Amino acid sequence: MSFYGGLLVIHIIAAVCGLGATFALPVLMGLPKTVSQAKFAHSVSKGVEKIAKIGSLTLLVTGIALGAVNPFLITQIWFIASLIIYVLVQPIVAGILPKKTAQQVRLLEEADGETLPVDYENLGKQMAPFNYVMNASAIILIILMTLKPF
């Protein structure tokens, strides 16, 4: 296998890890009906997020490396568009959602009983549009990477 081929394999594995969590985490976090379930879901999500972060960063590094090894890629609109989309969703992934998740965790720690606090559920609703943007971005990235439409 060539160096480029090896990078490509790592890139694809990173895509599965990094982008897969984009779809899994909103589903996981939408399931809890009680405080205990929500606490457990948040503990599981921390592990999934570690895999997603490693995958996402590896995806970026290997993507740039693929462009460096094969400079022709840098002339391709699909390649540049993929990098731009990746950068544009980072404020959501690294800023907005983690802050709202931390607020949810604080609410769970302060909760009395097993009923989910209304503010916890409201934060979940506030996060939904950001999750839709992440999911749409992931789908667009997958389409760009596999079909290379332009």
Side-chain angles (χ1 to χ4, degrees):
M1 177 181 301
S2 68
F3 179 70
Y4 183 87
L7 272 177
L8 187 58
V9 169
I10 294 168
H11 187 73
I12 292 167
I13 292 168
V16 171
C17 295
L19 299 178
T22 300
F23 298 100
L25 286 174
V27 173
L28 172 67
M29 298 315 298
L31 294 174
K33 303 297 180 218
T34 67
V35 169
S36 296
Q37 290 174 354
K39 286 179 178 179
F40 179 73
H42 279 281
S43 68
V44 170
S45 76
K46 284 181 184 178
V48 174
E49 285 174 10
K50 283 181 187 176
I51 294 168
K53 286 177 185 176
I54 293 168
S56 184
L57 290 173
T58 304
L59 189 62
L60 177 63
V61 170
T62 56
I64 292 169
L66 288 166
V69 171
N70 183 3
F72 172 74
L73 291 175
I74 298 171
T75 68
Q76 301 301 296
I77 295 171
W78 65 266
F79 184 83
I80 301 300
S82 298
L83 289 172
I84 290 169
I85 292 167
Y86 180 93
V87 169
L88 288 176
V89 299
Q90 290 313 300
I92 294 172
V93 174
I96 295 169
L97 291 177
K99 286 180 185 174
K100 291 196 180 293
T101 299
Q103 290 173 333
Q104 283 186 315
V105 170
R106 275 193 301 275
L107 289 169
L108 291 174
E109 295 303 323
E110 297 168 358
D112 291 328
E114 282 297 308
T115 303
L116 287 174
V118 173
D119 289 342
Y120 176 91
E121 293 176 344
N122 288 338
L123 281 167
K125 290 175 185 173
Q126 291 173 18
M127 292 165 69
F130 296 108
N131 286 320
Y132 295 141
V133 169
M134 285 183 9
N135 288 344
S137 298
I139 290 168
I140 292 167
L141 286 171
I142 292 166
I143 289 169
L144 288 172
M145 294 287 165
T146 55
L147 300 180
K148 300 168 179 57
F150 36 76

